[in-house]
Each structure stands twice: as structure tokens, then as C-alpha cells.
Amino acid sequence: TLHLSQINQLLEAVKYFSENKIGSIIVLERTTPLGSYTESGTKIDSNIDKRLLMSIFNPASPLHDGAVIIQHNRISAAGCILPVEEVAERGFLGTRHISAVKLSEETDALVIVTSEETGKISIAEEGKLYEGVSLEELRRKIERNFHPR
């Protein structure tokens, strides 16, 4: 479970990415272990912190193209490589969105994506992509799944 302060840090970072059209992909682990994906990136093991997330996804950062994986209430790794398939199969989706959907088909992770083209926030879950999600909808989704009352 995530604490409300952690959810707030995460949402503030996503809001910043959306408003500034910065591409990001953040994976929240549920029950399927994501260790094989964290191994592909750079180990971080940090509290969930909006400034750290902003640094990671800064377009000048060497880690900005990969995914951030959050496990056990912590940012466990950044710059992680997610599964990608032929773009033609998914129409006009970008690589981040395709990777998010693919990972959500293979695992029970919740994947949050911001588009560098439009700034839109999307959620991938159970092999489906929900585009143009509001921050409030994202908050409700995270709280329902990671902050049970």
C-alpha cells in the first residue's frame, strides 16, 4: 500500500509531466513480481519523490527514455526496458504507450504514461489503455488499488 503523501508526490510529478509535455512511464507493481524489468534499469531504491521523478524524466537525463518501477512503496529502478512489439499492431500509439499496454497484458501492474506530444495522461491496465485520464481519475484509481481504507 502507498501512503497518501507518496500518492501526492507521484501525482504532483505526473501533473508536472502533463503540463510540460514531458514523456514518462511509471509502473506500479501489484502482485506480479517485476524483478526482471528492474534488472534492465538502474537501481534507485528511494522514497517516492516528485523532484527525483522530475530529474529522471527530464529529457536531458540518460534515464528518461526508460520506465520507473515502483515496488514496495519505493522507486526501485529507473531507465527500465519494457516489452515492445511491432508498432503496426497498435495503430498510432507511441512506444511508451505500446510498452505500457504490453506490460499490463503480461503482468497485473498499473502503468501510468504521459505523452510528450499531447501531455495527456494514460493508464494501462489488464491489456487496455485508458487515454486522457484526469489527475482526479488517476488519484481515485491509485487510492482504490494501492491505499485501501
Side-chain angles (χ1 to χ4, degrees):
T1 62
L2 294 174
H3 302 289
L4 283 177
S5 61
Q6 294 171 312
I7 294 171
N8 289 336
Q9 288 287 308
L10 181 58
L11 289 170
E12 285 177 36
V14 171
K15 179 177 191 253
Y16 174 83
F17 301 146
S18 177
E19 289 173 348
N20 293 281
K21 294 188 176 174
I22 294 171
S24 71
I25 182 164
I26 301 169
V27 181
L28 300 173
E29 182 184 74
R30 285 187 178 140
T31 58
T32 309
L34 299 175
S36 60
Y37 297 107
T38 59
E39 296 298 312
S40 71
T42 300
K43 188 141 182 60
I44 303 254
D45 190 27
S46 163
N47 288 323
I48 298 170
D49 180 86
K50 73 173 182 199
R51 290 164 310 182
L52 177 58
L53 290 167
M54 288 162 65
S55 297
I56 290 167
F57 288 111
N58 176 318
S61 164
L63 298 175
H64 83 277
D65 271 334
V68 159
I69 297 181
I70 295 178
Q71 298 171 298
H72 315 294
N73 288 7
R74 297 185 65 76
I75 297 173
S76 64
C80 300
I81 311 290
L82 299 184
V84 182
E85 62 188 21
E86 282 306 304
V87 175
E89 289 181 41
R90 299 284 181 180
F92 296 102
L93 294 178
T95 306
R96 276 191 192 91
H97 293 83
I98 293 166
S99 295
V101 170
K102 191 83 178 123
L103 183 68
S104 79
E105 285 171 350
E106 295 176 7
T107 73
D108 65 354
L110 179 69
V111 189
I112 304 162
V113 183
T114 56
S115 166
E116 64 193 48
E117 283 83 30
T118 64
K120 283 187 178 160
I121 301 166
S122 299
I123 297 172
E125 183 177 37
E126 296 175 350
K128 294 183 189 73
L129 186 69
Y130 303 93
E131 295 182 88
V133 175
S134 72
L135 274 171
E136 204 39 57
E137 289 169 310
L138 180 58
R139 175 182 294 282
R140 283 195 300 269
K141 170 68 79 179
I142 293 171
E143 286 181 2
R144 240 192 338 269
N145 288 276
F146 296 93
H147 184 74
R149 307 235 178 284

